[in-house]
Each structure stands twice: as C-alpha cells, then as structure tokens.
Amino acid sequence: MLHAFSLGAALMVVWGLLSGMPEPLLMGLGVASVVLTVWIAHRMDVVDHEGHPIHLGPRALVYFPWLIVEIIKANWDVAKIILSPKMDIHPHIFKTKASQKSDVGLTTYANSITLTPGTVTITMDDDGIFEVHALTYGAREGIETLDMDRRCTAMEGMSKTDDKSDKTPGPTSSGPTTSGPTSSGPAS
C-alpha cells in the first residue's frame, strides 16, 4: 500500500509540474487521473518494489548526481572526438560482469552504461555478463575501472562481496570484434 501512495504522490508532483496552471479544474482532473492510474496499476499488480522502487530513493540521491557528472564528462570526450579532424575512434565490443543481484540493479547498471556517451550495452546473459560496445579505448577503460558497477551495487543496497567477490571477474575482452574497416588500434 505504501508503494501505491508513493506512486500517487509522484504522479501528482509530475502532474503539477507539467500542468503549470494551478486552476481548480486542472487540479481536480489531475487528482482524478492519478487516482484512476494508481487504481489500475494496483489492480494489474505492477505497484511493487521493482515497479516503483521507493526503497532506492535515498541511495539514488547519491548515485544519480554522480551519473550525471559522468554523462557530462563522457559527452565532452565524445564531442572532442567528433570535432577532431583525426576522428580517433576505435569501435570494439567487450564483455563485463555485473555484480548486481536484482533485476532493478542490473537494469540500472545496463542503462547507466548506455546513457554514458561512447558506450552501449548490447546484451546481457543469465549470469549477468554484459556485452558492451565502446567507441574508444578510453570509454572501455571507464567501464573496466568497475567504479560504475560498484556505485550501482551500492545504490541497489547489496554488498559486492556478498557471494561473488572471488567469482566476479572484471571485464573480459572478446577481442576486437567489430566488423568492417572500423576495427583499428591495438588489440586488448
């Protein structure tokens, strides 16, 4: 029930911010829409800890500002590459193992990789191994430091050392697996 109230409050805030006009009719329609939406979501049984993860709230307030800074830094790096006459890119695909245990944690980590310019999560297998496309070796190194993985696991609220500390290899390379003439540079 707490999730339903939290969802309703979040929807009301979004409605209020998007409407921009605090007129009684619009506020009444907003309340009716939110109540109907929360009721439908509750009946469909999608208001749960994964559908509306309020338990991540306090930790997300630390993670998402860090992620925004990382996105800005990666945007700057990609912009420099694009504007450079040399176009120093080395597209390649590599694998990395995620240490998150929940679907929300794995999805957040995969989306964080994809949101960071220069990297895209392509696939994830059942063991939590992601296949990632990187535009440059520097973008790959950003993932290989495992800083994002560690921070995402901390946001998820589970310790990375719970049962994977000795079993979790870092990123693994599948070699320069790009197709066509875009594969250049040293193999890793």
Side-chain angles (χ1 to χ4, degrees), residues 56-69 151-152 154-155:
L56 298 179
R59 293 183 298 265
L61 293 176
V62 174
Y63 179 74
F64 286 115
W66 173 83
L67 180 61
I68 289 169
V69 169
R151 289 174 183 263
C152 193
M155 184 192 69

Side-chain angles (χ1 to χ4, degrees), residues 91-112:
H92 59 286
I93 295 172
F94 67 98
K95 293 182 180 184
T96 186
K97 181 148 176 82
S99 63
Q100 294 73 35
K101 295 182 173 81
S102 70
D103 289 342
V104 171
L106 289 167
T107 302
T108 301
Y109 184 47
N111 287 339
S112 297

